[in-house]
Amino acid sequence: MEARLWYVLTGTRGGVNRIRLLRLLDERPRNANQLADELDLHYETVQHHLGVLVDNDVLRSSGDDYGAVYLPTPQAEAHWDLIEEIIEQVD
């Protein structure tokens, strides 16, 4: 999980936006539309980054496709200290 987090959050161009998503989702679950509005990003961009985070077991979704809310997986929560460390280094 540690190597995956470093790759997903710092190893690709989208890492900064994925970190922004994680910061908001750490506060409370949100759907893609809410995230797009709050981050001033295009909905499809948010959908792309959510898909990457879900595919890498960082996030999970709950609910139907359109209104699905996203929240950290138990694996991500177990490594949240590392996620915060990565975020601090990126800032």
Side-chain angles (χ1 to χ4, degrees):
M1 184 73 177
E2 184 175 335
R4 191 177 321 162
L5 287 170
W6 278 102
Y7 171 73
V8 168
L9 300 177
T10 66
T12 61
R13 285 181 19 186
V16 171
N17 281 329
R18 292 181 199 126
I19 286 172
R20 294 173 69 205
L21 290 168
L22 289 177
R23 283 183 170 147
L24 286 179
L25 294 172
D26 184 36
E27 296 171 3
R28 64 176 173 83
R30 291 173 165 89
N31 66 33
N33 191 46
Q34 293 168 324
L35 291 164
D37 285 346
E38 292 186 46
L39 295 174
D40 196 27
L41 292 173
H42 192 278
Y43 179 80
E44 290 181 13
T45 300
V46 169
Q47 283 286 76
H48 168 74
H49 291 300
L50 289 173
V52 170
L53 292 168
V54 168
D55 289 347
N56 284 281
D57 296 323
V58 179
L59 295 179
R60 61 188 168 103
S61 65
S62 176
D64 62 24
D65 286 341
Y66 183 74
V69 294
Y70 291 85
L71 57 157
T73 62
Q75 299 95 320
E77 289 176 348
H79 292 85
W80 203 258
D81 288 345
L82 175 60
I83 291 172
E84 289 178 348
E85 179 184 327
I86 293 170
I87 289 171
E88 285 179 21
Q89 289 190 21
V90 170
D91 282 341

